[in-house]
Amino acid sequence: MNIAVISDTLASMIRIATPLMLMALGGLLCDRAGVFNIAMEGFALVGAFAAVACVQFSGGSVWIGLLGALVIGALYSAIFGLFVTKFKADNIIASLAMNTLGAGLTSYLLRAMFDVQGAYAPDNIEKLSMIEIPIIKDIPILNCISGQSIVTYFAVILMVAIYIMLFKTKTGLGICAVGESDVAARTAGIKPEIVKWKVVLLSGALSGLAGAYLSIISVSQFSEDMVQGRGFTAFTIYVFGASHPIYASLVSLLFGLAEAVGIRIELLGLSIPPAIIDMFPYMLAIAALAVSSYVRKRKVQGVVKVKKKKEKLA
């Protein structure tokens, strides 16, 4: 495998990982605040449709599409926030309901607004130019970092911002406190409901942006169920990354690499069944969850052993 192929594969890895990273960053904020959120699939699907609709009605502006996906994603997630904060609904059931509603709603709106079914591409779309980074774009292997969408670089900046916010600011401390105990957070003057509302809305906005990336940057069209399980993959990513922004982002790159390698194998025409290639990311997801569960179990066992030793010494 020559250097050009490696660079192309790594560039594909970054492109594939971008929407996963955005959803995972929103999901881990919910997890830190004690909200079990697997509704990102539905948020992203609604965002993908909103982006295409906004592009169509704005005369082809991708920027309007991205903004529309952010806003509509946040508004749609507000329904989920209402159920989990106001009505104290089961987070899992509410999440699955949002995913199902998102699939049905986008299919209905596709027919109602554009009189088509299956897929719709805007009449005119002003594609965003990829950003070339001077010097790096001419360095083999490293040039995979250059030539990416502005959304990708925004995701990287967001990762750093969320890391600083979570671990270096009072706001982040409040989010983590709510995740540990609503009662303890309330005694410290923190309102858990407001914190949960904020992280849910932010998760919806980021998932909507991830959906927009898929529909108007990657393929320039919306198709039914186009998110294809990426929301659940994002959940796996932040769980495996211990709800840490940097670790979760690195795991998203790992999943992106698995899919990119699968695509490369298929392009090379190797005698591997396509079904096996398509299984790569999901096999990695299962392995990631298994490793994560094992590590957490070992940590719990270690804590128990330490407590027993302290009790004996006492």
Side-chain angles (χ1 to χ4, degrees):
M1 185 178 290
N2 59 38
I3 292 177
V5 172
I6 294 174
S7 295
D8 287 344
T9 303
L10 293 177
S12 296
M13 170 193 74
I14 295 172
R15 287 192 292 270
I16 294 168
T18 297
L20 296 176
M21 187 186 300
L22 288 169
M23 286 188 279
L25 289 172
L28 70 85
L29 286 175
C30 289
D31 186 58
R32 288 279 180 176
V35 178
F36 189 87
N37 180 8
I38 53 174
M40 295 172 291
E41 182 86 3
F43 298 165
L45 191 59
V46 169
F49 178 84
V52 168
C54 289
V55 167
Q56 174 64 30
F57 296 129
S58 66
S61 174
V62 174
W63 291 107
I64 298 296
L66 293 173
L67 179 61
L70 277 166
V71 173
I72 299 301
L75 290 175
Y76 184 68
S77 68
I79 302 173
F80 176 70
L82 182 65
F83 279 113
V84 299
T85 59
K86 181 69 174 179
F87 302 133
K88 308 297 181 184
D90 183 277
N91 290 186
I92 298 177
I93 295 175
S95 294
L96 295 177
M98 296 305 296
N99 291 336
T100 305
L101 176 61
L105 181 62
T106 52
S107 295
Y108 169 75
L109 291 176
L110 192 63
R111 292 164 177 77
M113 295 174 63
F114 304 115
D115 196 26
V116 296
Q117 65 181 71
Y120 177 77
D123 297 332
N124 179 35
I125 182 169
E126 302 167 0
K127 293 289 290 183
L128 292 178
S129 299
M130 298 298 105
I131 299 175
E132 298 289 345
I133 303 176
I135 302 176
I136 290 179
K137 67 179 182 179
D138 300 319
I139 302 175
I141 306 298
L142 282 180
N143 59 5
C144 67
I145 301 173
S146 180
Q148 300 289 341
S149 164
I150 189 173
V151 178
T152 298
Y153 301 119
F154 170 75
V156 175
I157 295 171
L158 186 67
M159 172 197 70
V160 177
I162 289 178
Y163 171 79
I164 294 172
M165 184 271 291
L166 271 180
F167 303 115
K168 307 293 183 181
T169 68
K170 185 177 179 181
T171 301
L173 182 62
I175 291 173
C176 295
V178 171
E180 291 294 330
S181 171
D182 280 9
V183 176
R186 205 180 297 276
T187 58
I190 300 169
K191 296 181 179 179
E193 292 79 10
I194 294 178
V195 171
K196 290 180 179 181
W197 263 110
K198 288 179 179 178
V199 295
V200 167
L201 291 175
L202 186 56
S203 175
L206 292 179
S207 296
L209 181 61
Y213 181 90
L214 293 171
S215 63
I216 62 176
I217 294 179
S218 292
V219 296
S220 300
Q221 72 169 20
F222 174 82
S223 57
E224 294 182 21
D225 195 32
M226 70 179 303
V227 180
Q228 295 183 331
R230 288 180 178 86
F232 297 107
T233 302
F235 167 75
T236 305
I237 286 169
Y238 77 71
V239 169
F240 187 43
S243 292
H244 190 288
I246 296 176
Y247 299 157
S249 298
L250 292 175
V251 175
S252 68
L253 289 174
L254 183 61
F255 276 83
L257 179 62
E259 188 170 340
V261 168
I263 293 170
R264 178 60 60 180
I265 290 173
E266 194 169 1
L267 291 174
L268 291 174
L270 301 180
S271 56
I272 300 177
I276 298 296
I277 295 174
D278 293 339
M279 285 170 58
F280 278 2
Y282 303 102
M283 291 167 63
L284 182 59
I286 294 172
L289 283 174
V291 171
S292 178
S293 298
Y294 176 76
V295 170
R296 290 192 176 193
K297 183 179 179 181
R298 294 288 294 180
K299 285 183 178 179
V300 171
Q301 289 176 344
V303 171
V304 172
K305 287 180 180 179
V306 170
K307 285 184 178 180
K308 287 183 177 179
K309 286 182 180 180
K310 287 183 177 179
E311 289 175 356
K312 287 181 180 179
L313 291 173

